[in-house]
Amino acid sequence: MNAWNESMKSAVPSQRTAGPPPQLAQDLDERPARPAGTRSVEARLLSRLLDYLGNPPLEFVLWTGERIGPPGAPPDAAIVARVRVSNRATLLGILADVQVRFPDAYSEGRLEIEGDLVRLLEEVYRAGRSSPQQSSLRRLVERLRRPHVNTLSGSRENIHHHYDIGNEFYSLWLGQTMAYTCAYYPTPTATLDEAQTAKMDHVCRKVRLRSGESVVEAGCGWGALALHMAQHYGVKVRAFNISHEQVAYARARAAKLGMSSRVEYIEDDYRNISGHYDAFVSVGMLEHVGVANYAALGEVIARSIGANGRGLIHSIGRNRPVPLQPWIEKRIFPGAYPPSLAEMMQIFEPHDFSVLDVENLRLHYAQTLRDWLALYE
C-alpha cells in the first residue's frame, strides 16, 4: 500500500454566517469620540488578535482609516499584505471566530486584501507555530473536537455538498484531465495537464499493472485514472463513486472514447465493493472515509485482492493527528479528515499487508495548487 501526503484543497464558499449581536454593534456606534492620539477600542482588539496570531507581518486598515500592524513596527514597515475591513460588524465577527469568520468575510467581499493572499496565509501559519497563546488554544480545541463518523447516508450528503455543484465549474480550473488530486511534475516546466497525466502513469507503475488484469478503484472522481489505466495499461476497471455528477460525466466520457466495455463506473459506496481483483486503487478518497471506518476499508481491500493482490492509496495527509481547519471543514469538506501516516496503518496492519513504498508529494501538490489557482483566477 502507498500513502501520499497532500495539502488541503480550497475553494470559495457560498454560504454566509451571522453577524455580531446588534446591540453590541450599536453600543460601539454610539460611543463618544475618542481623544486625539489615542487608539480606538477596535484597534486595541485587533492588536490583541495580531498577538494571538503570533504578530505576522500584515497590517489591518479599518473603515475609519486607522492602521494596526505588529507591535513596534513603523507605519511603513515591510508587510506582506494589507487587510482592509469594511465595517464594524465584519470586525466583530472576525474577533469572535477568526478561523471561520475571516475567510467567510474575504469570500463574501467584506474584507479586501492588498497583496499576495497565499503569502499572507503562509506568514500567518508560520507565525502561529511560535505563538504560545495559539498553541495552547489549539491543543485544547484538538482535545475537545470529536472526529465525524461517516455513515453511508452522511457520506453521500458530504460528497454532494462539494462534488455535485456542477461539472462546468470544475472544468474551468482543473484542466483537461479533470483530475482533482495532486499532480506529479516530471520537470519544473511541466504543465498541469502534463503533470496530471504523469501522476496517473506514476500510480500505474507503482501498482505494477499488467495487461489483462482487473482493477477496482474506490472514489474515481471524474473518471480520468480509470480510463487511463484501461487505455494505456490494458486492464479492465470497475470504479466506485457516490457523486452522481461525477459518475454521469465519467460514463459519458468513457462512451465517447469507446471504452465502456473496459471501464465500468458504479454509483455506489466503497463499502459495497464486491468481486475479486488483481489490484485495488484509491486516489483522493481516504480523506473522506474517516478513521472510524478504516477497519471497514481494510476489510474491503482484503476481500477484493486477497493475499496476492497489490494496492495503492493516495491521500491528503498530516504530519500528526490533528482536526481539519474549521472553515475548510464547514465550507469545503464536511466530514473530511486527513490522517497521519500512523493512523493510515490502521487500514493495513490488521490484514498483514506489506507496505512496500511510501512517498510524500507535498511539493508537487504545492505546484498543483498554484496551477489551479492561476486557472481559477
Side-chain angles (χ1 to χ4, degrees):
M1 289 296 172
N2 184 7
W4 292 347
N5 180 300
E6 300 179 359
S7 302
M8 178 49 73
K9 315 169 180 79
S10 63
V12 175
S14 59
Q15 303 178 35
R16 294 177 179 267
T17 55
Q23 186 59 48
L24 178 55
Q26 180 180 339
D27 291 345
L28 287 170
D29 284 330
E30 294 175 355
R31 287 173 303 161
R34 70 180 186 277
T38 61
R39 305 184 77 188
S40 67
V41 172
E42 293 88 347
R44 293 198 295 272
L45 289 172
L46 273 175
S47 293
R48 295 279 298 275
L49 175 62
L50 277 172
D51 186 54
Y52 162 76
L53 294 174
N55 289 307
L58 64 92
E59 180 182 67
F60 284 95
V61 181
L62 297 180
W63 58 96
T64 60
E66 197 170 3
R67 297 164 62 179
I68 303 93
D76 58 349
I79 59 172
V80 298
R82 182 170 287 111
V83 181
R84 294 189 176 274
V85 185
S86 61
N87 54 56
R88 184 171 286 114
T90 298
L91 172 63
L92 294 177
I94 293 169
L95 294 171
D97 186 355
V98 66
Q99 294 196 77
V100 173
R101 300 293 184 88
F102 186 98
D104 271 355
Y106 171 75
S107 64
E108 294 165 7
R110 293 181 285 112
L111 278 183
E112 180 182 351
I113 294 178
E114 298 176 359
D116 189 332
L117 172 63
V118 174
R119 178 87 185 279
L120 180 149
L121 293 174
E122 288 174 345
E123 293 294 340
V124 168
Y125 285 133
R126 288 193 186 101
R129 292 194 191 105
S130 60
S131 169
Q133 297 179 66
Q134 193 172 159
S135 296
S136 59
L137 179 60
R138 184 168 55 244
R139 287 192 295 270
L140 175 62
V141 170
E142 290 171 7
R143 288 197 299 269
L144 294 177
R145 287 177 66 189
R146 296 181 178 179
H148 290 280
V149 176
N150 289 318
T151 62
L152 285 168
S153 61
S155 294
R156 192 173 292 274
E157 291 174 5
N158 291 338
I159 294 303
H160 173 74
H161 171 90
H162 186 77
Y163 294 98
D164 287 341
I165 61 178
N167 294 332
E168 291 183 9
F169 165 68
Y170 285 104
S171 69
L172 294 174
W173 54 280
L174 290 183
Q176 293 297 315
T177 65
M178 288 290 281
Y180 195 16
T181 59
C182 174
Y184 188 81
Y185 291 80
T187 67
T189 59
T191 66
L192 174 64
D193 290 333
E194 289 171 343
Q196 289 291 12
T197 299
K199 202 281 289 293
M200 289 186 279
D201 281 323
H202 198 50
V203 167
C204 293
R205 287 194 301 269
K206 278 180 177 285
V207 83
R208 300 178 183 179
L209 293 185
R210 294 185 289 270
S211 180
E213 291 187 324
S214 61
V215 180
V216 62
E217 183 183 8
C220 64
W222 283 275
L225 177 60
L227 280 174
H228 189 85
M229 289 189 289
Q231 284 182 300
H232 300 282
Y233 291 83
V235 299
K236 295 192 72 171
V237 185
R238 296 187 79 209
F240 285 69
N241 191 350
I242 56 175
S243 166
H244 179 75
E245 291 280 337
Q246 288 184 327
V247 169
Y249 181 97
R251 286 172 176 168
R253 198 174 189 180
K256 184 177 180 179
L257 294 173
M259 297 296 294
S260 297
S261 63
R262 305 288 301 172
V263 182
E264 180 184 7
Y265 293 103
I266 301 169
E267 188 177 342
D268 202 355
D269 193 272
Y270 72 92
R271 282 162 282 204
N272 295 326
I273 289 175
S274 60
H276 188 271
Y277 310 87
D278 297 296
F280 173 95
V281 173
S282 178
V283 177
M285 186 197 76
L286 184 62
E287 48 270 53
H288 300 291
V289 169
V291 177
N293 292 317
Y294 284 2
L297 176 59
E299 290 286 348
V300 168
I301 297 171
R303 71 171 183 252
S304 296
I305 61 176
N308 299 313
R310 293 103 59 204
L312 179 146
I313 288 182
H314 172 305
S315 173
I316 297 166
R318 303 298 285 272
N319 292 339
R320 62 184 180 86
V322 61
L324 191 57
Q325 199 275 343
W327 182 79
I328 294 175
E329 183 176 0
K330 185 171 186 177
R331 301 295 188 213
I332 307 300
F333 289 127
Y337 179 79
S340 70
L341 187 58
E343 288 175 311
M344 293 180 69
M345 295 307 297
Q346 298 177 41
I347 303 168
F348 313 133
E349 290 182 356
H351 302 280
D352 200 27
F353 289 133
S354 297
V355 178
L356 303 180
D357 180 58
V358 177
E359 184 175 4
N360 187 323
L361 299 182
R362 60 182 298 168
L363 297 183
H364 291 270
Y365 198 62
Q367 185 58 46
T368 306
L369 292 173
R370 292 187 190 102
D371 285 342
W372 283 345
L373 180 59
L375 289 174
Y376 187 92
E377 294 292 354

